[in-house]
Amino acid sequence: MPRVPEVYYAGEIPPHGGGTLVYNVIDNIDKARQYWEIKTRIEIKPTLDPKGVPVRNVYREVMSIAYGFFTPLEGFMTQNEVESVLKERRLLSGWLFPYPIVFDVTEEEWKASGAKVGDEVLLTLKGKPLAVIKVEEFYKLPEDKKAFADAVFGTPERNKEVVRVPFDEKMPGWLIYRCLKSHAIAGRVWVVNPPKFREPYVRFWIPPAQSRAYIKAKGWRFVVAHQTRNVPHVGHEMLMRRALFVAGIGERPADAVLVNAIIGAKRRGDYVDEAILEGHEALSRGGGYYFHADRHIVTMTLWDMRYGNPLESILHGIIRQNMGCTHHMFGRDHAAVGDYYDPYATQYLWTRGLPSYGINEPPHLTDKGLKIRPVHMGELAFCPKCGEWTYLGIPLDVPEVKQLPLCGHKPERISGSFLRGLIIEGIKPPSVIMRPEVHDVIVKWWKVYGYPYVTDKYLKLKEEQLEVELP
Amino acid sequence: MTAEVRKYKIGLIIDDKRYEAIKGTPLEQKIERMFGGYIRLLTLEVDEETARHVLKEFPSGRIDARGFLEDLPVAFKRALFEAVVKTKSLGKEAIDEVFKKIDEIKAAAEKEKEYVPPPA
């Protein structure tokens, strides 16, 4: 029988996995330096798409593991663990986890390093020490990477509940798994040279332990997490405001929204990372005060988005639970791209589970699942007559009723792509759609990169610079 | 029973400059106002075949939740507006006019892939 979720306060909610928060970072520089001398080394290289454009850098996974975002994961997965995740989205310990997290290398790279199972191998980034991996296993990834990528994300035949269209190269997450190298190294990782974050990232790097401390210091009891890979329009802002009211448990609404932006390689056409972070920041600081700064915080996680809609929502739940949030917003087309998944696939998962992926109950109601609670958000649209954003209505289970607006007028839907089209044509969106301070941020970074959205050029530049500098 | 014909839409934002170009013409009557009148829009309805053709020429494009073809290059939107003005139509004539110059538009779109001048 599904369990009834317990009530936890923000900052005190247990980390995922039932143990303590992972913190595999050696801050003591003298101690850390000893590892820098390790002769067995592997240079971290980006995952490239068939055109040679970087679509992932595994350093982001190293950082997210070591700083505890992916707790209880302490390292890269063994072959058995990958199989377990693909079979039932669980680690070998039984705790829910959506994706295989693999450190892929070529056989040549492995041989050149001279590493053996049992060794501590220094992982260098741009030639400088970053982390150490204690090699537990070296194994061959499946030969057929297309089949492997399909096993990760699903197929319309196998996963009828939510997959609508077969995945292909236009789906960035699928492409990442499709482009992995031939082999993988499994093992626990430690950061042995804590990097310095560049501007503007440094302001938003608040790893789980710090995030929990911040929440407690603020006295927030219920905190709702907002996943973002977008510059916010007013519709997003209204969703966050409404989520605050829904997210409380009994005694009062939630106290604050924790925005957590996913920072890494994204699909072409998404906003650049710097604008995403500063755009959200502009809602409560630096000009816009649409949220009080004591009710809103913007943070980031390093991760090359997989755009896996329901699967990504599990990872999001894990990350934000680890950061101390009690609730998580899930809206239409959560972390999705294209029309591969049903737009409400995430809601399906969090209300019924996804048996075809081996998840038989909702993630927060299953044994060894999550403690964070979902807050399901329907779609909002702007009603010119009401002069406000209103609920558009989740499609009802009545075929002829697709949507039922809250008001009796004709609310206008806004799509992110419509807004992007408006902006790229040089038109400043009206303030009922986008706050002027947010548009100013977009233009600021447009001037830096010559384009407001992710392009191949931006991805290459991002790979050159990354978000960090190593001392 | 006849199969339902799927229709898609392409929206053209009408800023002040474009508005001047169609002011006083029948096209002006077809302007829709959105978001409380802040945005003016002309909408072309296209069939599935045309939609596929456009998306094939411009793979960055996608169909959004409203059934609109979006994420299309500025060069395409600009050429489409010019075609609408030239043909005085929001129908197939305008689309056909655009496809006559598709290579030229694709070349312009290629250039804007990495750089579009930011607003002043």
Side-chain angles (χ1 to χ4, degrees):
Chain A
M1 207 169 82
R3 66 181 174 83
V4 176
E6 291 160 82
V7 175
Y8 295 103
Y9 287 138
E12 294 170 358
I13 188 168
H16 186 49
T20 54
L21 212 50
V22 169
Y23 189 74
N24 289 357
V25 182
I26 300 180
D27 289 310
N28 179 321
I29 200 73
D30 293 327
K31 201 175 164 200
R33 273 180 194 280
Q34 296 167 19
Y35 290 94
W36 299 9
E37 307 306 322
I38 294 175
K39 295 282 181 265
T40 315
R41 302 172 168 221
I42 289 178
E43 170 72 8
I44 292 174
K45 290 182 188 152
T47 304
L48 302 176
D49 75 4
K51 289 197 294 181
V53 178
V55 290
R56 168 197 181 226
N57 189 310
V58 72
Y59 109 86
R60 297 191 179 98
E61 286 152 58
V62 170
M63 292 288 286
S64 289
I65 292 168
Y67 281 88
F69 290 87
F70 294 171
T71 300
L73 202 64
E74 289 211 64
F76 289 92
M77 295 179 179
T78 60
Q79 190 166 15
N80 279 347
E81 192 138 61
V82 167
E83 281 167 14
S84 167
V85 166
L86 292 181
K87 187 175 162 219
E88 51 181 359
R89 307 293 157 170
R90 287 183 187 268
L91 303 173
L92 289 173
S93 59
W95 289 91
L96 208 57
F97 205 92
Y99 291 126
I101 302 292
V102 292
F103 190 96
D104 60 314
V105 289
T106 62
E107 200 167 9
E108 293 72 32
E109 283 172 317
W110 170 256
K111 281 181 181 162
S113 74
K116 311 182 293 297
V117 171
D119 283 352
E120 286 178 343
V121 176
L122 185 68
L123 302 177
T124 57
L125 183 65
K126 310 284 180 195
K128 294 186 177 174
L130 170 70
V132 165
I133 183 165
K134 168 95 173 160
V135 182
E136 189 183 336
E137 187 185 1
F138 173 70
Y139 60 98
K140 197 170 187 321
L141 287 167
E143 196 85 48
D144 184 349
K145 295 292 187 306
K146 184 180 173 301
F148 184 49
D150 278 346
V152 173
F153 292 99
T155 65
E157 296 76 28
R158 283 201 299 264
N159 309 95
K160 286 191 176 67
E161 312 106 308
V162 289
V163 180
R164 298 284 168 264
V165 181
F167 294 99
D168 57 24
E169 274 77 6
K170 281 182 103 171
M171 201 289 210
W174 188 92
L175 189 61
I176 287 174
Y177 285 96
R178 165 86 178 72
C179 295
L180 289 181
K181 294 171 188 168
S182 59
H183 289 70
I185 304 172
R188 201 171 161 209
V189 287
W190 296 264
V191 164
V192 296
N193 189 13
K196 271 177 65 182
F197 278 79
R198 295 177 190 279
E199 285 287 348
Y201 303 107
V202 63
R203 299 204 299 280
F204 306 99
W205 175 251
I206 305 171
Q210 260 176 273
S211 165
R212 285 169 172 263
Y214 185 89
I215 286 170
K216 284 177 124 173
K218 286 282 177 195
W220 295 340
R221 301 189 89 175
F222 298 113
V223 175
V224 61
H226 175 68
Q227 147 62 25
T228 190
R229 61 173 240 245
N230 245 314
V231 160
H233 57 61
V234 179
H236 294 127
E237 189 188 317
M238 295 304 154
L239 284 171
M240 287 188 261
R241 287 167 187 234
R242 280 156 178 77
L244 276 173
F245 279 92
V246 180
I249 300 173
E251 54 193 86
R252 65 186 197 206
D255 302 296
V257 177
L258 183 143
V259 177
N260 189 240
I262 296 297
I263 298 302
K266 291 199 180 61
R267 76 159 193 153
R268 294 148 185 96
D270 276 3
Y271 289 94
V272 299
D273 279 339
E274 296 90 334
I276 294 170
L277 289 165
E278 290 194 343
H280 276 278
E281 185 185 40
L283 294 182
S284 63
R285 294 161 177 85
Y289 297 100
Y290 305 101
F291 283 103
H292 192 291
D294 281 345
R295 291 197 179 277
H296 182 257
I297 172 99
V298 184
T299 63
M300 59 179 261
T301 298
L302 290 171
W303 170 245
D304 301 302
M305 259 191 79
R306 306 300 201 260
Y307 298 87
N309 195 326
L311 303 173
E312 203 93 359
S313 80
I314 299 175
L315 186 70
H316 291 160
I318 292 170
I319 292 169
R320 283 80 197 230
Q321 182 181 319
N322 287 333
M323 293 180 82
C325 299
T326 50
H327 294 75
H328 201 300
M329 292 167 61
F330 295 119
R332 184 184 188 278
D333 260 339
H334 182 83
V337 65
D339 49 6
Y340 302 102
Y341 287 105
D342 184 283
Y344 290 98
T346 289
Q347 283 71 17
Y348 195 107
L349 164 70
W350 288 80
T351 51
R352 281 167 270 192
L354 283 175
S356 71
Y357 290 89
I359 308 167
N360 296 318
E361 291 117 12
H364 63 303
L365 300 177
T366 190
D367 188 36
K368 296 198 170 181
L370 280 76
K371 311 277 186 222
I372 200 166
R373 294 180 182 214
V375 177
H376 296 302
M377 306 305 297
E379 190 178 358
L380 295 183
F382 182 76
C383 175
K385 180 84 173 170
C386 300
E388 64 179 16
W389 287 79
T390 188
Y391 180 47
L392 195 57
I394 284 180
L396 304 173
D397 287 337
V398 182
E400 61 273 19
V401 182
K402 298 288 183 209
Q403 280 176 330
L404 191 61
L406 190 63
C407 65
H409 313 125
K410 285 189 178 166
E412 293 163 342
R413 298 172 89 174
I414 185 161
S415 78
S417 42
F418 166 76
L419 198 50
R420 285 194 296 273
L422 200 69
I423 290 167
I424 195 84
E425 289 203 59
I427 295 161
K428 186 169 184 167
S431 57
V432 293
I433 308 180
M434 179 173 271
R435 302 295 189 186
E437 294 85 353
V438 175
H439 184 257
D440 289 348
V441 167
I442 295 170
V443 174
K444 172 186 164 182
W445 290 102
W446 186 345
K447 286 176 178 166
V448 172
Y449 293 115
Y451 206 81
Y453 312 129
V454 172
T455 59
D456 287 356
K457 187 173 143 193
Y458 176 78
L459 287 170
K460 286 175 186 166
L461 193 65
K462 191 168 178 64
E463 172 53 38
E464 269 171 42
Q465 297 182 343
L466 301 175
E467 296 81 12
V468 295
E469 283 174 301
L470 288 164
Chain B
M1 201 168 79
T2 52
E4 193 188 342
V5 181
R6 293 186 78 175
K7 291 281 186 188
Y8 298 95
K9 292 170 182 177
I10 303 177
L12 288 171
I13 303 290
I14 305 302
D15 61 4
D16 291 346
K17 196 175 158 202
R18 286 181 179 173
Y19 182 69
E20 286 304 315
I22 57 171
K23 204 169 159 187
T25 73
L27 289 169
E28 185 186 0
Q29 305 305 315
K30 295 188 176 161
I31 291 178
E32 298 159 48
R33 291 184 176 269
M34 298 172 71
F35 301 107
Y38 290 108
I39 301 280
R40 291 172 295 201
L41 189 80
L42 277 177
T43 306
L44 288 90
E45 209 166 75
V46 296
D47 58 25
E48 190 158 6
E49 191 190 338
T50 307
R52 279 182 197 280
H53 191 171
V54 172
L55 294 177
K56 192 177 161 217
E57 299 290 358
F58 303 105
S60 65
R62 60 183 290 263
I63 297 165
D64 76 4
R66 306 166 306 150
F68 275 75
L69 271 68
E70 293 289 1
D71 290 336
L72 295 169
V74 176
F76 174 80
K77 291 283 189 93
R78 199 183 298 127
L80 184 57
F81 178 73
E82 284 164 10
V84 164
V85 173
K86 187 177 171 189
T87 61
K88 299 183 179 61
S89 161
L90 292 173
K92 197 170 180 307
E93 301 83 354
I95 298 283
D96 289 345
E97 184 70 20
V98 167
F99 280 121
K100 280 183 199 167
K101 296 193 288 185
I102 197 70
D103 290 338
E104 198 182 306
I105 296 165
K106 280 170 79 174
E110 197 58 36
K111 280 187 199 156
E112 75 179 43
K113 257 186 177 172
E114 310 261 279
Y115 180 77
V116 172

